[in-house]
Amino acid sequence: MLLRFRVANHRSIRDEAELSLVSSSLQTINPRDGDWAGATTRVTAIYGANAAGKSNLLDAVDFAVDAVRHSATTWAENKSFPFRPFRLTDADNRSPSFYELSVVVDDIRYDYGFRCTAQGVHNEWLYSYPEGRRRQLFVRNGPGKDSISFSRNLPGDNALTASLLRPRSLYLSVAANANHELLQRIQHRIAYHILYAKYSEMDRLARLRMVMEAVEDPGALEQAVALLKMADVGITNVAVKDDELPRALRSLIERILDNGDDGKERHSQEAVQNFTKNLSFLHSAANGKEFELSQSDESSGTLAWIALAVPALRAFRHRDVLLVDELDASIHPYLASALVEMFKNPAINSTGAQIIFTTHDVAFMNPSFPASLKPDEVWFTEKKSDGATELYSLAEYPTRRTENFSKRYLDGRYGAVPLVDLDALVGVLHQDKA
């Protein structure tokens, strides 16, 4: 469960910005009844004009997650640490990028963060709040293994684990690889339970491969079919089919990926399966007959829906955080509303899973909309005159429950809308005619 995310110096986000998923009703560090699901929002929508930084905020979360997952493994041999700073400033004046996530693991809140540049990790820290007061677990003030100080509140042989540290590796990642009992649980919650559904064809195909793995399980298949029936697309069943590759193409793939090593051979077999496996959909027709359509023949809207809805089911099972870029650009508004309602419905989302999405659909701010959002569930990004992104919440404005926030937003009451100057275009067009 994600409580908040703080970031600075990442793409268009120059100054420190904080996205909070803590309910405005929570007035203490920890909920007194221990119910974190009741103290946090299930849904967070981010609005803003094009190029205002909405996607950059999700990209920053995804970058922090990737660093926690990969810095001690696939990133370790890189010549530099990935660095995505605010570039509308002199290179000599660029400070380290800053990322911090507050998460709940085993019902305890942890604040974990780091600062980095292309040279590596400059700072790293982890704090816990087991009894409502902050406890330091470790603090790192440099790239080397001698730069970390450990608290007696952190169990385990931390000094031995620190000896494995490299300048471009996060200690949390190194400790997880070394099977540190506590830090591995925290690393796993961040690295594998914050999922990003990007608005790109490549990412959609990757999520469809996740769907293929899911529907091979009978229980997950039943849920996937229910999702398709709910969307009213005429589909009665879905399955995974193996298409036969031409022998010459199969041989070429295997030769490219297989050098005789057992691991490479397994990798080449998996690559071949990625080419051959496809989803197959069974449609009902008016005459009572059923017809099968392959994935390539299915509508893009149906594929987009199942590629989002099945990861949502996974989120409900594992209390995941699902990040979705451009929610309204890939699926019908009714289905987007249904997806948000699924996260808000405790009968469906009983674990406290969360969805954070960017959108231009103002219907979510209308109090009469089925999936209407509360002020602390609505956030805005606005690009300032110097090109830097500013992030703020609707909850920062005085509001009444009955107000039509969507109309007020379109009227410019909250900012974060594009300024369209048609007169400037008219002037240019008239100059061309002259």
Side-chain angles (χ1 to χ4, degrees):
M1 185 177 297
L2 183 63
L3 303 181
R4 67 172 186 167
F5 174 70
R6 296 199 295 157
V7 58
N9 195 29
H10 181 93
R11 297 196 185 278
S12 66
I13 305 171
R14 182 191 60 196
D15 307 316
E16 184 178 316
E18 178 177 332
L19 178 71
S20 175
L21 282 73
V22 176
S23 173
S24 56
S25 62
L26 181 65
Q27 302 299 318
T28 55
I29 292 178
N30 292 343
R32 289 191 174 90
D33 58 1
D35 179 18
W36 278 111
T40 51
T41 58
R42 307 274 62 75
V43 174
T44 299
I46 304 169
Y47 290 86
N50 291 332
K54 301 186 302 298
S55 298
N56 286 341
L57 181 62
L58 298 191
D59 183 77
V61 179
D62 188 51
F63 175 86
V65 170
D66 276 352
V68 169
R69 182 187 297 179
H70 299 302
S71 67
T73 53
T74 56
W75 288 11
E77 301 303 324
N78 293 347
K79 293 182 179 180
S80 63
F81 195 89
F83 186 43
R84 303 172 185 173
F86 180 78
R87 295 196 177 277
L88 300 183
T89 187
D90 294 335
D92 294 339
N93 296 328
R94 287 178 189 154
S95 58
S97 294
F98 160 82
Y99 307 88
E100 185 179 71
L101 303 107
S102 296
V103 296
V104 176
V105 181
D106 299 331
D107 294 324
I108 296 176
R109 170 184 169 175
Y110 294 91
D111 290 351
Y112 170 75
F114 60 94
R115 289 185 176 88
C116 62
T117 63
Q119 284 68 50
V121 180
H122 290 235
N123 306 94
E124 188 180 3
W125 57 92
L126 178 66
Y127 296 91
S128 67
Y129 299 79
E131 296 172 354
R133 289 181 294 180
R134 189 171 81 162
R135 289 183 180 177
Q136 177 183 308
L137 297 182
F138 73 80
V139 172
R140 175 183 182 181
N141 289 310
K145 59 185 179 181
D146 298 327
S147 64
I148 304 184
S149 58
F150 299 101
S151 163
R152 55 187 174 86
N153 297 311
L154 182 65
D157 193 345
N158 300 297
L160 177 62
T161 306
S163 67
L164 305 173
L165 191 64
R166 299 182 182 184
R168 291 187 293 275
S169 298
L170 295 171
Y171 179 71
L172 183 65
S173 306
V174 171
N177 287 347
N179 297 319
H180 189 290
E181 184 177 354
L182 173 61
L183 299 185
Q184 188 178 55
R185 293 202 305 273
I186 297 171
Q187 187 265 357
H188 194 271
R189 173 52 56 179
I190 294 173
Y192 298 101
H193 292 279
I194 300 178
L195 315 174
Y196 188 16
K198 301 176 185 177
Y199 182 60
S200 70
E201 181 66 17
M202 183 176 296
D203 183 73
R204 186 177 65 85
L205 291 174
R207 282 183 278 122
L208 284 174
R209 284 194 289 273
M210 182 194 301
V211 172
M212 293 179 203
E213 294 174 4
V215 300
E216 289 180 324
D217 173 77
L221 172 61
E222 184 179 0
Q223 292 177 340
V225 172
L227 286 168
L228 289 167
K229 289 181 177 178
M230 183 185 84
D232 193 25
V233 289
I235 293 175
T236 59
N237 207 349
V238 60
V240 178
K241 291 292 184 71
D242 254 322
D243 298 327
E244 187 64 32
L245 274 183
R247 183 176 299 176
L249 179 57
R250 177 186 289 268
S251 178
L252 176 62
I253 294 171
E254 291 174 345
R255 284 202 307 273
I256 291 173
L257 297 176
D258 182 15
N259 64 0
D261 177 75
D262 289 342
K264 291 288 186 180
E265 182 179 355
R266 184 171 60 254
H267 181 60
S268 67
Q269 291 173 351
E270 291 173 355
V272 169
Q273 288 178 352
N274 284 337
F275 279 102
T276 59
K277 280 190 174 183
N278 282 288
L279 291 169
S280 175
F281 299 88
L282 205 62
H283 282 257
S284 59
N287 57 6
K289 293 184 178 180
E290 291 185 322
F291 297 88
E292 186 176 350
L293 290 183
S294 66
Q295 180 177 315
S296 60
D297 293 325
E298 192 54 70
S299 78
S300 59
T302 297
L303 295 178
W305 166 246
I306 196 171
L308 274 180
V310 169
L313 290 179
R314 181 196 186 279
F316 299 148
R317 287 195 299 272
H318 301 291
R319 201 185 243 189
D320 293 340
V321 181
L322 181 61
L323 313 175
V324 182
D325 196 18
E326 302 286 2
L327 175 64
D328 52 315
S330 55
I331 57 177
H332 191 279
Y334 280 11
L335 293 181
S337 173
L339 184 67
V340 171
E341 286 187 87
M342 285 161 57
F343 276 87
K344 291 173 75 73
N345 188 333
I348 297 174
N349 181 13
S350 59
T351 62
Q354 297 162 297
I355 183 171
I356 304 172
F357 63 95
T358 67
T359 182
H360 293 289
D361 189 351
V362 297
F364 290 109
M365 286 193 274
N366 190 323
S368 64
F369 194 60
S372 178
L373 302 180
K374 300 175 183 177
D376 56 3
E377 297 172 329
V378 176
W379 290 74
F380 304 109
T381 58
E382 186 165 48
K383 184 165 286 189
K384 298 186 289 187
S385 59
D386 57 7
T389 292
E390 182 182 10
L391 175 69
Y392 53 97
S393 172
L394 177 58
E396 297 175 27
Y397 290 82
T399 58
R400 293 191 300 271
R401 184 176 298 178
T402 56
E403 283 180 341
N404 189 333
F405 303 129
S406 59
K407 183 179 184 304
R408 293 173 67 86
Y409 170 62
L410 293 176
D411 287 342
R413 300 289 187 90
Y414 311 127
V417 290
L419 299 177
V420 179
D421 187 358
L422 293 180
D423 291 337
L425 177 60
V426 171
V428 171
L429 293 176
H430 279 293
Q431 284 178 2
D432 290 345
K433 291 178 181 179

